[in-house]
């Protein structure tokens, strides 16, 4: 049987040897999922909610063990991991409480005696998930999915198998019946076969554009519904009247938390010329306070990147940007002697044709783009193939809202970093994907939105 190893991104040590499942093991999971669907979907929402509440309690009870696994597998700072676990538990409880409201039949006035829309589950949903928020990304699809009455199989990113197994163990601890949620340790070719299986009704992917193309093509070939949550290069637009203390603190947090590996991190800092110098000077000073180190230590405020190859890829993007005219104000290189560390980096004079302008920089590198005025800021913010999120910083909230409405993205925030929240729909436009997670939109994605008409 094929196997591979995972490595701790801080010290390079082997974390685990993972054996890929063979076809008999995959078959057993898919058969269990098929068998689990009818009884699971027949439970009341209150019963499914009880399972989710127990799952949330398990997340909290085992938070130290889960944190250690996240940190060992993908390098997340301890405090960030604990916050992610709490956010995930709260989202389970949120859906346990609100699903009944989201799934209420919607009456529609027609000439019929009764006509309405009702929401029915579809069966087994496959999830292909990334490593950057190894617990939260899974919960984002799993909590609404289970409340909807669907069952699920997860193919997690290959570098976080321990996180995947812990999620499965929490489901078992919560008493969730066999087959309702399972984990497949499989490679991408096996994932394509699973998606083709008749028992898998739909797929949700969070990951790169490259993975999106492949999985969406496969889903299209099978005429199966898919949701694509892909990359982003969010604009952080600072207008002339912005509160710079607020904006700079937010910029540092948004760009350098999680070692810059967040889809909705601010990546392009678009500064109108009136405040550009002042913002840049404060941004550089504030970023210097980020200190690289062991992610299990409280003193560390910049984590390693998740894998050495991803760090090397990022460095190539930085080098190509500087060779085309970007200037390095801070950092600009791997952390010397580290396994997968990259220095907190700020690039100035970023412009069209550079990777820092046109591509996603999935690591701790900020790109400064200077513009004349608000109109040019909007034009540059939209001059990207991505459309995930964007933020606008200004003392005039009403004007900020007008600018936010012009951003081509799935979520535009004014005077706040872009964030995910179980109450708010989340997803992208353009090449950042399609479909939505979270809130009511998220729970409806993988349901049959069924019209009933009684003449
Ligand atoms: P990735 O390389 O695309 O991997 C994501 C998942 O897709 C992993 O499970 C991966 O499996 C799988 N995968 C990759 N290629 C595949 C293929 N051809 N067929 C089937 N599965 C495939 O992305 P990543 O490096 O883990 O994550 C970073 C990316 O995710 C960034 O672009 C980031 O912006 C994006 N992201 C988006 C959101 C959002 O909500 N929009 C949230 C978080 C992250 P293996 O690990 O086995 O290759």
């Amino acid at each position: 049987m094929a196997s591979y190893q995972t490595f701790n991104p801080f010290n390079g040590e082997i974390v685990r040897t993972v054996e890929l499942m063979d076809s008999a093991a995959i078959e057993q999971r898919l058969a269990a999922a098929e068998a689990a669907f009818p009884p699971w979907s027949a439970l009341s929402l209150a019963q499914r909610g009880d399972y989710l509440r127990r799952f949330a309690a398990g997340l909290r009870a085992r938070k130290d063990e889960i944190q250690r696994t996240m940190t060992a597998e993908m390098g997340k700072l301890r405090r960030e991991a604990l916050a992610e676990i709490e956010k995930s538990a709260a989202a389970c409880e949120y859906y346990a409480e609100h699903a009944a409201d989201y799934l209420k039949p919607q009456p529609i006035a027609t000439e019929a005696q009764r006509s309405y829309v009702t929401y029915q589950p579809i069966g087994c949903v496959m999830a292909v998930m990334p490593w950057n928020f190894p617990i939260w990304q899974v919960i984002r699809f799993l909590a609404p999915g289970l409340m909807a009455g669907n069952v699920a199989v997860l193919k997690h990113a290959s570098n976080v198998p321990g996180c995947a197994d812990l999620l499965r163990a929490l489901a078992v601890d919560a008493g969730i019946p066999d087959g309702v949620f399972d984990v497949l340790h499989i490679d991408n070719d096996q994932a394509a076969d699973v998606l083709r299986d008749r028992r898998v009704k739909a797929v949700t992917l969070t990951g790169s554009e490259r993975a999106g193309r492949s999985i969406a093509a496969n889903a299209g070939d099978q005429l199966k519904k898919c949701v694509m949550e892909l990359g982003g290069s969010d604009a952080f637009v600072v207008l002339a009247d912005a509160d710079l203390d607020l904006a700079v603190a937010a910029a540092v947090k948004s760009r350098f938390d999680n070692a810059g590996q967040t889809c909705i991190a601010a990546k392009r800092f678009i500064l109108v010329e009136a405040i550009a110098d002042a913002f840049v000077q404060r941004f550089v000073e504030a970023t210097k306070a980020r200190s690289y180190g062991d992610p299990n230590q409280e003193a560390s405020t910049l984590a390693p990147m998740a894998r050495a190859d991803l760090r090397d890829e990022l460095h190539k993007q930085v080098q190509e940007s500087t060779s085309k005219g970007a200037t390095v104000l801070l950092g600009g290189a791997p952390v010397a002697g580290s396994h997968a560390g990259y220095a907190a980096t700020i690039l100035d004079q970023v412009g069209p044709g550079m990777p820092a302008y046109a591509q996603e920089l999935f690591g701790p590198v900020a790109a400064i783009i200077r513009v004349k005025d608000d109109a040019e800021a909007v034009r540059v913010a939209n001059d990207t193939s991505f459309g995930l999120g964007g933020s606008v910083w200004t003392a005039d909230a009403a004007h900020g809202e007008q600018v936010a409405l012009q951003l081509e993205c799935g979520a535009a925030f004014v005077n706040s970093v872009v964030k995910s929240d179980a109450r708010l729909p989340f997803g992208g436009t353009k090449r950042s994907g399609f479909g939505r997670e979270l809130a009511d939109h998220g729970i409806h994605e993988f349901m049959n939105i069924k019209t009933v008409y009684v003449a």
Side-chain angles (χ1 to χ4, degrees), residues 44 58 77 117 149 168 194 196 200-201 222 263 329 340 361 381 396:
S44 68
L77 296 179
V117 165
R168 163 85 181 129
V194 170
R196 276 192 284 272
V200 171
K201 307 298 181 196
Q222 300 296 311
C263 53
L329 299 181
L361 297 185
D396 181 348

Side-chain angles (χ1 to χ4, degrees), residues 128-132 137 140 155-158 188 205-208 210-211 214-215 229-232 263 360 362 388 426:
V128 181
M129 288 290 139
W131 44 263
N132 62 337
Q137 298 290 358
R140 233 163 64 166
K155 182 245 171 285
H156 216 330
S158 45
N188 294 337
L205 164 79
T206 300
S208 62
R210 183 183 47 81
S214 165
I215 292 175
E229 295 283 357
L230 309 179
C263 53
E360 178 178 35
F362 210 59
L388 199 51
F426 186 97

Side-chain angles (χ1 to χ4, degrees), residues 63-384:
K63 67 176 193 276
D64 287 316
E65 179 190 4
I66 302 168
Q67 174 270 316
R68 282 195 300 276
T69 305
M70 296 162 82
T71 301
E73 291 190 327
M74 55 68 69
K76 195 172 295 260
L77 296 179
R78 175 175 158 76
R79 85 176 72 79
E80 292 180 357
L82 292 174
E84 180 176 335
I85 295 163
E86 174 52 36
K87 180 174 175 170
S88 302
C92 292
E93 291 166 342
Y94 180 84
Y95 271 105
E97 190 180 338
H98 292 275
D101 216 24
Y102 292 154
L103 300 181
K104 271 206 303 264
Q106 305 291 323
I108 297 176
T110 66
E111 61 291 340
Q113 283 186 61
R114 266 159 65 72
S115 49
Y116 57 95
V117 165
T118 188
Y119 303 100
Q120 297 188 328
I122 57 172
C124 180
V125 177
M126 177 183 189
V128 181
M129 288 290 139
W131 44 263
N132 62 337
F133 289 88
I135 302 299
W136 168 244
Q137 298 290 358
V138 175
I139 295 303
R140 233 163 64 166
F141 101 88
L142 189 65
L146 295 192
M147 285 310 293
N150 290 323
V151 301
V153 287
L154 167 68
K155 182 245 171 285
H156 216 330
S158 45
N159 53 335
V160 289
C163 291
D165 285 347
L166 275 168
L167 286 161
R168 163 85 181 129
L170 290 168
V172 172
D173 289 353
I176 292 176
D178 193 40
V180 170
F181 168 60
D182 219 327
V183 166
L184 303 175
H185 293 292
I186 53 177
D187 65 20
N188 294 337
D189 292 337
Q190 293 173 301
D193 291 340
V194 170
L195 178 49
R196 276 192 284 272
D197 190 283
R198 64 162 180 87
R199 290 163 290 192
V200 171
K201 307 298 181 196
V203 62
T204 179
L205 164 79
T206 300
S208 62
E209 212 180 308
R210 183 183 47 81
R213 282 178 204 284
S214 165
I215 292 175
N218 193 356
D221 183 55
Q222 300 296 311
L223 294 178
K224 290 183 182 177
K225 171 86 183 269
C226 64
V227 165
M228 294 283 133
E229 295 283 357
L230 309 179
S233 186
D234 286 10
F236 184 103
V237 175
V238 188
L239 303 183
D241 60 355
D243 175 338
L244 291 191
D245 289 338
L246 186 74
V248 166
V252 175
K253 183 168 173 43
S254 182
R255 183 61 293 212
F256 298 107
D257 278 7
N258 210 32
Q261 304 162 122
T262 303
C263 53
I264 45 168
K267 292 178 183 135
R268 295 173 300 134
F269 294 82
I270 300 172
L271 314 176
V272 300
E273 66 187 5
I275 47 78
D277 286 341
F279 180 94
V280 166
Q281 190 243 330
R282 291 192 209 188
F283 187 32
V284 170
E285 280 314 305
T287 302
K288 281 182 186 163
R290 288 275 165 153
S291 149
Y292 178 81
D294 182 343
N296 272 307
Q297 298 298 323
E298 279 303 310
S300 304
T301 49
L302 181 68
M305 290 183 60
R307 299 195 315 251
D309 62 302
L310 296 170
R311 188 267 316 269
D312 296 343
E313 195 55 41
L314 179 74
H315 189 46
K316 273 196 214 137
Q317 292 173 302
V318 169
Q319 285 180 309
E320 194 185 329
S321 299
T322 54
S323 76
K324 292 181 168 164
T327 56
V328 177
L329 299 181
L330 192 68
V335 176
S338 72
H339 178 72
Y342 201 78
T345 295
I346 299 179
L347 301 178
D348 202 352
Q349 308 299 339
V350 170
M354 300 178 193
Y357 187 93
Q359 300 171 8
E360 178 178 35
L361 297 185
F362 210 59
V365 179
I368 305 283
I369 306 170
R370 293 163 183 258
V371 295
K372 196 161 61 344
D373 54 21
D374 299 12
E376 192 185 353
V378 170
R379 188 188 61 71
V380 169
N382 291 336
D383 186 23
T384 171

